[in-house]
């Protein structure tokens, strides 16, 4: 198994570029710091991550509905929520290297001075080279409309959650939901991070997958525990290795003033443990803050008990880009494989994605580009695509190389049509990415076999 080292991350980043998962944004202009574009396979990967989340959080549940709110909202939303006054990180400047650092990241950051190259920035602080920390607001500001003055200031949302709180009454009134119930949303968020980095782990523009679960106040603890387990389990169900995943309960001094509990789901990246998702008990803070800000009653009247209360909120908040990167890092492996015939060994780069997460689920190959094989292969491609299975057709190059190319992008199953298919018993070969084992099946069984394999897939 590949060892977790910093240069492992470099190899993964290089694979992402080479095979079209992630590109540096605006690369032809020299790139822009911490901005990335998702290529053909990256776009599929991210879509699968979002689908897996939406399926688990909305489609399969009676108690959660979806929402898609605007990125630009009324500026009062951000005053009421506390973001204008307090959504900031502490910033320090190094007087010597002129670097700007997030104070709580000093341990992981390196001084920019050539003489001190590579030494942790916290040493500069110990030597008194850092300025006093000052608050730096992370919200991006812009102006709505043609006049750029203080009255036209608007913000790009730094989280999707507030769009859910401001629509609480709309959802209750239009969908007749009653606590305990949730509202889920996936969408872009923007934070002017002081120190973005580690590839797409921390960027200034990213996508979030957040769900606000509204509960009667006395059920908050119970649902918090439920959502910590459920969200941790979602990563395991989608193939993440359990030994690289952990839950970290926040200490009291890490909690926001309104929060009475928070647990992060963390992953062990090549650069160390990092937050993948946070599950927080937010109390009634958000609905109360907006009720105060807009002057409207955001409480809920419970018909059964004839009582009125402001629901408490349990929030699982995940990052889509972070999740996509985690699935990629976790799936990455370099294995030594030996050719049985020649005895030669080589390194096979493979992504052991869960079939649900893999950008391509099945690749179909005619062994050669003649003798009716492409036609027979296309029939299988059509059948799989009709069934909604992401299928890739490839007829170029040696078959071994075609398998390797699919291993490298994590395609779990390859189907090869050969002479036996068109002139013999009609069977095709199904090759498994993880075991590299091959079996022959009837073309009429392909769809059923692939469906069964997807269902039964387990991390080796
Ligand atoms: P951090 O402490 O790392 O800055 P946070 O605790 O402020 O993050 P939340 O506000 O809880 O993060 O956001 C929920 C999720 O959104 C995070 O768990 C992460 O997956 C994702 N996320 C937050 N900031 C970023 C970012 N700058 N780039 C990519 N994903 C992010």
């Amino acid at each position: 198994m590949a060892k977790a080292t910093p240069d492992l991350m470099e190899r993964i980043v290089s694979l992402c570029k080479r095979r079209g998962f992630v590109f540096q944004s605006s690369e032809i202009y020299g790139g822009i710091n911490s901005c990335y574009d998702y290529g053909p396979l990256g776009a599929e990967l991210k879509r699968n991550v979002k689908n897996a989340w939406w399926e688990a959080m909305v489609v399969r549940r009676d108690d959660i509905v979806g929402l898609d709110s605007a990125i630009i909202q009324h500026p009062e939303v951000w005053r009421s929520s506390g973001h204008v006054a307090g959504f900031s990180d502490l910033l320090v400047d190094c007087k010597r290297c002129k670097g700007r650092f997030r104070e709580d990241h000093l341990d992981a950051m390196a001084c920019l001075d050539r003489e001190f190259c590579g030494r942790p920035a916290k040493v500069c602080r110990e030597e008194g080279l850092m300025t006093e920390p000052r608050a730096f607001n992370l919200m991006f500001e812009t102006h709505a409309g043609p006049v750029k003055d203080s009255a036209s200031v608007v913000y790009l949302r730094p989280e999707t959650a507030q769009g859910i709180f401001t629509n609480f009454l709309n959802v209750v009134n239009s969908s007749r939901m009653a606590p305990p119930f949730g509202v889920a949303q996936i969408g872009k968020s923007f934070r002017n991070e002081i120190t973005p980095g580690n590839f797409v782990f921390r960027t200034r523009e990213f996508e979030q997958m957040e769900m606000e679960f509204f509960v009667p106040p006395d059920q908050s603890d119970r649902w918090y525990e439920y959502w910590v387990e459920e969200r941790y389990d979602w990563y395991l169900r989608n193939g993440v290795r359990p030994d690289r995943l952990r839950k970290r309960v926040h200490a009291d001094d890490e909690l926001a003033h309104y929060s009475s509990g928070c647990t992060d789901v963390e992953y062990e990246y090549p650069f160390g443990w990092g937050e993948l998702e946070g599950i927080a008990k937010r109390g009634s803070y958000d609905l109360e803050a907006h009720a105060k800000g807009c002057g409207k009653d955001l409480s809920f009247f419970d018909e059964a008990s004839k009582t009125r209360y402001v629901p408490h909120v349990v929030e699982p908040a995940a990052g889509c880009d972070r999740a996509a990167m985690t699935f990629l890092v976790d799936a990455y492996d370099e294995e030594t494989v030996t050719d049985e015939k020649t005895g030669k060994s080589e390194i096979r780069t493979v992504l052991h994605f869960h079939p649900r997460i893999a950008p391509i689920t099945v690749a179909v190959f005619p062994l050669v580009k003649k003798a009716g094989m492409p036609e027979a292969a296309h029939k299988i491609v059509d059948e799989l695509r009709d069934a909604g299975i992401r299928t890739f057709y490839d007829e170029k190059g040696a078959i071994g190389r075609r398998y390797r190319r699919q291993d490298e992008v994590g395609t779990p199953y390859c189907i090869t049509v050969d002479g036996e298919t068109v002139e013999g018993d009609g069977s095709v070969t199904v090759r498994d990415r993880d075991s590299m084992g091959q079996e022959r099946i009837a073309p009429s069984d392909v769809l059923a076999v692939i469906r069964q394999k997807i269902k039964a897939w387990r991390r080796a």
Side-chain angles (χ1 to χ4, degrees), residues 34 83 87 89 102 104-105 138 158-159 189-193 195-197 199-210 235 250 262 264-265 269 274-280 282 315-323:
S34 131
H83 284 81
F87 191 62
D89 282 333
R102 194 172 135 176
D104 60 341
H105 283 177
L138 300 180
E159 60 176 34
S189 292
F190 302 82
R191 296 183 187 178
N192 198 3
E193 297 277 1
T195 45
F199 199 35
V200 295
F201 180 83
R202 187 180 302 284
T203 51
R204 297 195 169 112
E205 171 184 343
F206 54 97
E207 262 182 299
Q208 287 188 306
M209 308 185 290
E210 296 193 294
Y235 293 98
H250 281 214
C262 185
D264 286 346
V265 177
Y269 298 97
E275 173 186 335
L276 184 49
E277 165 159 359
I279 299 98
R282 301 181 64 101
E315 174 198 73
C320 175
D321 307 78
R322 248 182 230 187

Side-chain angles (χ1 to χ4, degrees), residues 53-179:
W53 188 87
W54 195 260
E55 164 111 4
M57 301 298 274
V58 181
V59 178
R60 286 183 179 273
R61 301 192 64 113
D62 293 321
D63 56 355
I64 303 181
V65 289
L67 186 84
D68 189 347
S69 69
I71 286 173
I72 296 175
Q73 298 167 31
H74 196 296
E76 281 304 320
V77 169
W78 307 107
R79 271 187 269 282
S80 299
S81 66
H83 284 81
V84 171
F87 191 62
S88 42
D89 282 333
L90 290 177
L91 170 73
V92 288
D93 296 79
C94 178
K95 293 175 204 159
R96 182 172 173 130
C97 75
K98 309 289 177 231
R100 297 203 143 159
F101 304 98
R102 194 172 135 176
E103 210 225 0
D104 60 341
H105 283 177
L106 283 182
D107 286 2
M109 303 301 297
C111 174
L112 304 181
D113 194 295
R114 235 185 266 154
E115 201 186 315
F116 296 151
C117 188
R119 88 174 187 179
K122 70 171 181 184
V123 181
C124 301
R125 179 178 49 194
E126 283 154 19
E127 290 180 2
L129 292 169
M130 295 287 187
T131 58
E132 281 302 307
R134 61 186 192 282
F136 174 78
N137 194 296
L138 300 180
M139 280 203 295
F140 276 99
E141 259 182 49
T142 186
H143 293 84
V147 184
K148 285 193 176 174
D149 62 12
S150 59
S152 66
V153 167
V154 289
Y155 304 96
L156 302 186
R157 68 177 175 200
E159 60 176 34
T160 61
Q162 298 304 322
I164 297 178
F165 298 126
T166 55
N167 278 294
F168 173 72
L169 282 187
N170 283 336
V171 173
V172 167
N173 294 335
S174 61
S175 58
R176 294 166 49 231
M177 301 300 280

